[in-house]
Amino acid sequence: MYSILIVHFLLTIYSNYLKYGSPQGSENLREALSNYLSTTRGLNASINDLLITKGSQMGIYLSAQLLLDPGDTIAVGMSNYPTADQIFKQAGANLLRIPIDHNGMDVDYLENKLKKQKIKAIYIIPHHHSPTTVTLSMERRLKFLKLAKEHQFAIIEDDYDFDFHYANKPYLPLASIDHNQNVIYLGSITKTFAPALRIGFMTGPANFIYAATALRELIDRQGDTTLEEAFASLFKQGEMNRYNRKALKTYKERRDTFCSLLDTNFANQITFKVPEGGLAIWAIFNPEIDLIQLSHNALKQGLYLDNGLFYKNEVFSTNGIRMGFASLDEKEMIEACAILKKVMY
Ligand SMILES: Cc1ncc(COP(=O)(O)O)c(C=O)c1O
């Protein structure tokens, strides 16, 4: 009955949204995002400069396909979001690994490398690096932009976590400061709302967005118009802002609760830095702990715990996992820690 009502509602009231639409995405949502990006990040993106994607994942893929040719080099973090690494490799690119410290990617290391080799692009996760959760400092942001101008490479800025910064105000994206059209900016609503609602966006130089739209159309004629229109209304009615403010407060409290539980229960076995933002803790376990076995044993007790394999690569083998806290209330966190304690000691 419920589904019949929805179909009826769509066919009668919103029938326009059931037609073929622009591959660039709903104009209403692009307009809402244009305002939102301007007020939250000082980012100037007109509706023509925005492409709605299926999550930021699609934005990484489109950027890689347009920027990289086989044999090109792209700089990425020593540890990195592994799916992005896969996308760049699939485009035929070589990865130049850049160390990450508590201020994010080491820009001086890149500067040195650029004396001897060319890169086509760099992939940066400024808020908050995955997996380590560190924030890229403003000083480094400015220097990356300077290097991009001097050495003519593109910056793919994956700012999927911008909306979850607890420390103070988030830093301005590189894209908001850039005057040289070198930055492709990617964002997402999937983390804000629900990962299954696949809405992301990208903005950059007009000709790049034009090419990305044409490529997107080859893969996927258009996005989910009804979902895009629904989000456009939520933005326009101010619901997204209200929701974001509430979520930020809740997640900050959850971060603090989870960090103090980890401190109290696992001080000898797990080290971590309280992240300035994001929805996970980068937890480094005592090297003697076998995370694969631990994860297996935890699951038998009803607790899903990552086993750390996802983030390992040819140069990165820290015995760590990302522990997501955002979806757990205090009671669930206490239960999770009790199970972990049981299987760890
Ligand atoms: C660093 C990073 N970028 C992009 C994504 C993709 O997110 P989505 O496509 O849901 O926006 C993820 C997902 O976890 C991620 O960790």
Side-chain angles (χ1 to χ4, degrees):
M1 183 64 188
Y2 180 64
S3 51
I4 295 173
L5 275 177
I6 289 183
V7 171
H8 174 74
F9 181 71
L10 285 172
L11 287 176
T12 51
I13 301 177
Y14 281 118
S15 58
N16 255 351
Y17 299 151
L18 300 179
K19 296 176 181 162
Y20 279 123
S22 165
Q24 207 169 341
S26 143
E27 203 169 308
N28 286 330
L29 182 56
R30 281 184 281 136
E31 193 188 340
L33 280 172
S34 169
N35 293 331
Y36 176 71
L37 293 175
S38 164
T39 44
T40 55
R41 302 152 167 72
L43 183 55
N44 196 3
S46 76
I47 60 169
N48 292 331
D49 300 338
L50 275 164
L51 166 62
I52 309 293
T53 55
K54 293 245 168 98
S56 47
Q57 189 68 48
M58 187 186 235
I60 306 173
Y61 183 82
L62 295 174
S63 306
Q65 289 296 316
L66 291 171
L67 289 171
L68 301 171
D69 291 317
D72 284 344
T73 298
I74 178 162
V76 298
M78 199 73 92
S79 57
N80 194 27
Y81 175 48
T83 316
D85 287 347
Q86 298 274 329
I87 288 175
F88 303 139
K89 285 184 191 162
Q90 201 246 358
N94 303 313
L95 307 186
L96 170 65
R97 296 279 183 190
I98 310 290
I100 306 276
D101 61 25
H102 58 283
N103 282 321
M105 248 178 177
D106 185 345
V107 70
D108 297 329
Y109 182 94
L110 177 66
E111 187 177 32
N112 258 325
K113 286 283 173 189
L114 288 169
K115 289 179 186 149
K116 293 183 223 104
Q117 76 178 102
K118 265 189 90 59
I119 63 166
K120 195 72 168 285
I122 183 168
Y123 171 72
I124 297 181
I125 315 170
H127 291 105
H128 309 90
H129 175 256
S130 178
T132 64
T133 75
V134 294
T135 306
L136 186 66
S137 70
M138 185 44 85
E139 198 187 339
R140 290 190 181 179
R141 288 172 195 238
L142 295 173
K143 190 152 178 190
F144 275 122
L145 287 170
K146 182 171 160 281
L147 290 180
K149 183 178 174 207
E150 283 167 12
H151 296 269
Q152 288 296 296
F153 59 81
I155 298 176
I156 304 173
E157 181 174 21
D158 179 358
D159 213 7
Y160 79 118
D161 228 6
F162 178 95
D163 290 313
F164 305 107
H165 195 73
Y166 316 122
N168 31 47
K169 277 206 173 331
Y171 292 121
L172 281 186
L174 285 81
S176 308
I177 314 164
D178 177 44
H179 297 297
N180 300 293
Q181 305 258 298
N182 287 326
V183 184
I184 315 297
Y185 185 78
L186 311 177
S188 180
I189 306 179
T190 71
K191 306 275 177 193
T192 316
F193 230 74
L197 302 180
R198 307 296 304 153
I199 303 272
F201 53 88
M202 66 193 291
T203 184
N207 56 355
F208 190 86
I209 294 302
Y210 183 80
T213 304
L215 179 57
R216 187 248 154 88
E217 193 174 359
L218 298 184
I219 308 166
D220 183 19
R221 169 64 182 72
Q222 69 191 68
D224 180 339
T225 313
T226 47
L227 187 62
E228 291 177 12
E229 291 299 337
F231 272 110
S233 317
L234 289 176
F235 271 112
K236 286 194 172 155
Q237 291 159 12
E239 287 298 332
M240 286 300 281
N241 278 344
R242 270 193 289 281
Y243 176 82
N244 276 346
R245 276 199 301 276
K246 202 169 152 195
L248 196 67
K249 186 169 170 286
T250 304
Y251 293 155
K252 183 174 188 291
E253 285 164 10
R254 289 183 176 185
R255 176 203 65 175
D256 293 342
T257 307
F258 193 56
C259 287
S260 87
L261 281 169
L262 287 184
D263 259 341
T264 316
N265 291 290
F266 307 102
N268 299 330
Q269 305 291 3
I270 299 176
T271 50
F272 64 93
K273 279 222 158 72
V274 178
E276 288 186 326
L279 309 178
I281 307 290
W282 174 234
I284 301 175
F285 283 65
N286 178 336
E288 280 164 19
I289 294 176
D290 178 344
L291 284 177
I292 297 177
Q293 191 59 48
L294 187 71
S295 160
H296 186 73
N297 294 345
L299 196 58
K300 278 206 228 151
Q301 301 290 324
L303 173 68
Y304 172 78
L305 183 78
D306 185 27
N307 64 16
L309 283 180
F310 184 58
Y311 287 100
K312 291 199 170 28
N313 63 42
E314 72 289 356
V315 290
F316 184 76
S317 60
T318 301
N319 202 35
I321 55 175
R322 276 170 68 90
M323 298 178 89
F325 54 79
S327 63
L328 305 179
D329 63 24
E330 186 170 357
K331 184 167 164 279
E332 289 166 326
M333 285 181 198
I334 292 172
E335 277 171 28
C337 287
I339 297 178
L340 186 55
K341 217 167 169 178
K342 190 166 153 196
V343 292
M344 213 154 98
Y345 292 107

